[in-house]
Amino acid sequence: LLPAKLEPLLSRANLLIARDVEWANIMFAFEQESRYIIMDPLFSQSPVGYIREKSNVIFRQLLRSRRPFTAQFTDAMGNEIFTVRRPFWFINSSIYAEVDGKEVGVVHRRWHLWRRIYDLYLGNKQFAVVENPGFWNWTFTLIDEDENVLAQIDRNWRGIGFELFTDAGQYAIRFGDDGQSSRLGLGSDIEELNVVRPLSLPERAVALALAVSLDSDYFSRRGGWGLPFLIATE
């Protein structure tokens, strides 16, 4: 039953996840719950799903990106597909993917002075690692123990206005070409990725949990330019 619930969203070769602009954060440094739209690049006119954070308003203001939260992944009709849960963290963050309240996998961030390293687990077994060199590199490649490519997450540039004044980032999730675009005769702005094997649906859920964690760890901007006396800190 678990793969059947995940299949409508996660069987796609590529996904785009776009974060909504949080105007209260920009204007008043008031941390809002994060909202995302999930799109299929082949059918980008209509969302195929949504992500909605649920967290405590006080924790959001005090703890900022270190706050504990859950996030619900739904289809376009609002039906829950799976959730992710991220506890409060101090040094290294972790995020858990859960289906119907049952944990299926986890992503642990590994501390490094400048590199961005994440270990991905399905149950108790590690299936991938991400070792991003840091700095201005916005591509996060999932590789297996033999350094074969399994999937990739790219944070896309959305224009200088978005990047300077908002944290409304966009992420391209590439699971590898399953031949769908060729069969349908459709094109996509996302280049297909060659992978050593297709990720299982639960593994893909863990990869999407990683995307949410990346956005919170590195790309959540603090606002407050609307009221100069309000200064937000990390």
Side-chain angles (χ1 to χ4, degrees):
L1 292 178
L2 189 151
K5 188 171 186 179
L6 299 175
E7 186 173 6
L9 178 65
L10 300 184
S11 61
R12 305 167 191 270
N14 302 302
L15 289 171
L16 279 176
I17 298 178
R19 182 169 175 172
D20 288 346
V21 177
E22 299 167 4
W23 292 109
N25 188 8
I26 296 170
M27 298 294 294
F28 310 114
F30 182 83
E31 192 75 20
Q32 299 174 257
E33 291 178 323
S34 299
R35 300 285 187 271
Y36 307 82
I37 300 172
I38 308 174
M39 296 165 285
D40 186 328
L42 294 178
F43 309 96
S44 57
Q45 297 85 357
S46 301
V48 296
Y50 299 95
I51 308 172
R52 179 176 179 176
E53 175 192 342
K54 296 181 180 178
S55 59
N56 181 278
V57 62
I58 297 176
F59 286 165
R60 288 201 306 275
Q61 312 317 311
L62 296 179
L63 301 177
R64 297 291 178 170
S65 63
R66 289 178 169 82
R67 65 183 180 264
F69 66 80
T70 60
Q72 183 184 52
F73 285 71
T74 69
D75 61 20
M77 302 300 293
N79 302 306
E80 181 183 302
I81 300 174
F82 70 101
T83 62
V84 297
R85 174 177 54 87
R86 201 166 108 130
F88 165 78
W89 63 276
F90 182 64
I91 297 177
N92 295 318
S93 64
S94 295
I95 192 165
Y96 300 82
E98 301 175 345
V99 179
D100 295 330
K102 180 181 178 181
E103 181 184 318
V104 296
V106 60
V107 180
H108 294 301
R109 179 182 171 189
R110 201 190 315 166
W111 187 89
H112 192 278
L113 187 59
W114 66 86
R115 298 172 69 192
R116 301 161 176 175
I117 304 176
Y118 290 85
D119 298 306
L120 289 78
Y121 292 83
L122 194 65
N124 295 322
K125 183 178 180 181
Q126 184 171 358
F127 69 90
V129 64
V130 171
E131 297 182 348
N132 177 278
F135 301 105
W136 292 103
N137 188 304
W138 288 1
T139 299
F140 300 84
T141 303
L142 283 65
I143 59 174
D144 63 15
E145 59 184 3
D146 298 317
E147 299 189 355
N148 297 310
V149 175
L150 297 172
Q152 196 169 81
I153 300 173
D154 288 302
R155 188 180 190 275
N156 293 346
W157 177 265
R158 297 190 70 183
I160 192 168
F162 273 101
E163 300 298 338
L164 287 181
F165 301 113
T166 80
D167 54 7
Q170 180 171 278
Y171 300 84
I173 319 295
R174 301 197 292 163
F175 292 123
D177 184 15
D178 63 356
Q180 182 184 34
S181 57
S182 299
R183 290 197 304 270
L184 296 177
L186 298 173
S188 171
D189 292 334
I190 297 180
E191 183 180 350
E192 297 296 350
L193 181 71
N194 293 322
V195 296
V196 68
R197 67 170 179 87
L199 292 180
S200 68
L201 295 177
E203 288 173 333
R204 295 182 182 209
V206 177
L208 262 65
L210 169 63
V212 172
S213 198
L214 289 172
D215 186 61
S216 185
D217 284 343
Y218 299 111
F219 302 110
S220 290
R221 184 181 300 278
R222 305 282 76 81
W225 55 265
L227 292 178
F229 58 86
L230 285 178
I231 301 175
T233 59
E234 183 67 31

